[in-house]
């Protein structure tokens, strides 16, 4: 994925759960070195309701790992599954962190879908300022990679500029 982004001069935001980040520190360092962003996606990716102490642990433990590996302090969270009412979003907002959702999804977690469907979902659904969700954690990540390249080729000629979430947040101010 990083090679495709670099080849096309595109920046992206990577949002990993704790175990994935912990297992891939070299990739995380490369993400930051190449100007991409890393966001918080909690430690465990739990959907369940959490008390304040658990929500704090899920977010702060992950923030500490991001900082330890990359030297970056993140200030945004994408809650697992987009669940906003399980305690995570409330904790993040109380800490003056942005809660980031998505505007359009490639739906690349669909187990049998062809990558062309992912491309169509994004290219047809894109609007200025949108956040695209791609998730290579399920199914066949090769489909996500093929889709990413074609999504870039489909959106760039339409005048879309690709920015990382921190830049998008700055534009909104």
């Amino acid at each position: 994925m990083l090679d495709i982004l670099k080849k096309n001069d595109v920046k992206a935001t990577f949002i990993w759960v704790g175990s994935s980040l912990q297992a891939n520190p070299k990739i995380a360092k490369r993400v930051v070195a190449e100007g991409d962003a890393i966001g918080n996606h909690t430690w465990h990716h739990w959907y369940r309701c959490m008390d304040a102490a658990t929500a704090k642990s899920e977010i702060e433990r992950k923030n500490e790992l991001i900082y330890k590996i990359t030297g970056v302090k993140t200030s945004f969270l994408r809650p697992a599954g987009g669940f906003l009412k399980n305690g995570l979003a409330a904790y993040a907002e109380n800490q003056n962190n942005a809660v980031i959702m998505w505007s359009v999804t490639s739906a690349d977690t669909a187990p049998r879908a062809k990558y062309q469907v992912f491309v169509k979902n994004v290219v047809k659904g894109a609007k200025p300022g949108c956040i695209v969700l791609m998730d290579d954690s399920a199914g066949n990540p090769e489909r996500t990679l093929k889709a990413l390249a074609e999504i870039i080729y489909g959106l760039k000629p339409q005048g879309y500029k690709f920015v990382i979430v921190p830049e998008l947040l700055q534009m909104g101010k």
Side-chain angles (χ1 to χ4, degrees):
M1 190 171 275
L2 287 168
D3 292 339
I4 293 168
L5 295 170
K6 188 174 184 176
K7 176 183 171 187
N8 290 283
D9 194 29
V10 168
K11 301 297 177 212
T13 301
F14 292 82
I15 303 178
W16 290 312
V17 295
S19 59
S20 293
L21 181 63
Q22 196 168 40
N24 296 288
K26 288 181 182 176
I27 295 173
K29 289 175 184 176
R30 181 178 169 196
V31 163
V32 171
E34 292 183 6
D36 297 301
I38 294 181
N40 194 322
H41 198 41
T42 72
W43 191 265
H44 290 102
H45 202 265
W46 289 333
Y47 293 172
R48 70 177 195 219
C49 287
M50 293 169 233
D51 59 29
T54 303
K56 177 181 179 178
S57 175
E58 283 292 304
I59 293 170
E60 297 304 331
R61 186 175 173 200
K62 177 67 182 297
N63 280 344
E64 289 168 11
L65 183 63
I66 292 169
Y67 184 74
K68 179 182 172 187
I69 291 173
T70 68
V72 170
K73 290 186 177 183
T74 189
S75 61
F76 61 93
L77 164 84
R78 183 172 75 76
F83 287 95
L84 296 172
K85 304 288 184 194
N86 64 357
L88 292 167
Y91 178 81
E93 289 171 344
N94 284 336
Q95 300 302 307
N96 293 319
N97 287 299
V99 176
I100 303 300
M101 299 297 281
W102 58 92
S103 314
V104 65
T105 179
S106 66
D108 57 341
T109 57
R112 291 182 187 82
K114 304 244 185 261
Y115 80 92
Q116 293 91 340
V117 172
F118 312 151
V119 175
K120 180 181 173 186
N121 290 343
V122 175
V123 172
K124 287 193 174 198
K127 305 278 185 272
C130 80
I131 296 175
V132 176
L133 173 65
M134 296 186 80
D135 187 344
D136 71 347
S137 68
N140 178 350
E142 291 300 316
R143 297 178 309 154
T144 298
L145 293 176
K146 286 181 182 178
L148 175 60
E150 288 197 24
I151 288 167
I152 293 167
Y153 300 140
L155 292 177
K156 269 193 168 184
Q158 294 182 44
Y160 283 100
K161 179 182 174 189
F162 298 81
V163 299
I164 56 177
V165 166
E167 290 176 291
L168 191 60
L169 292 172
Q170 287 297 317
M171 290 176 191
K173 289 185 176 179

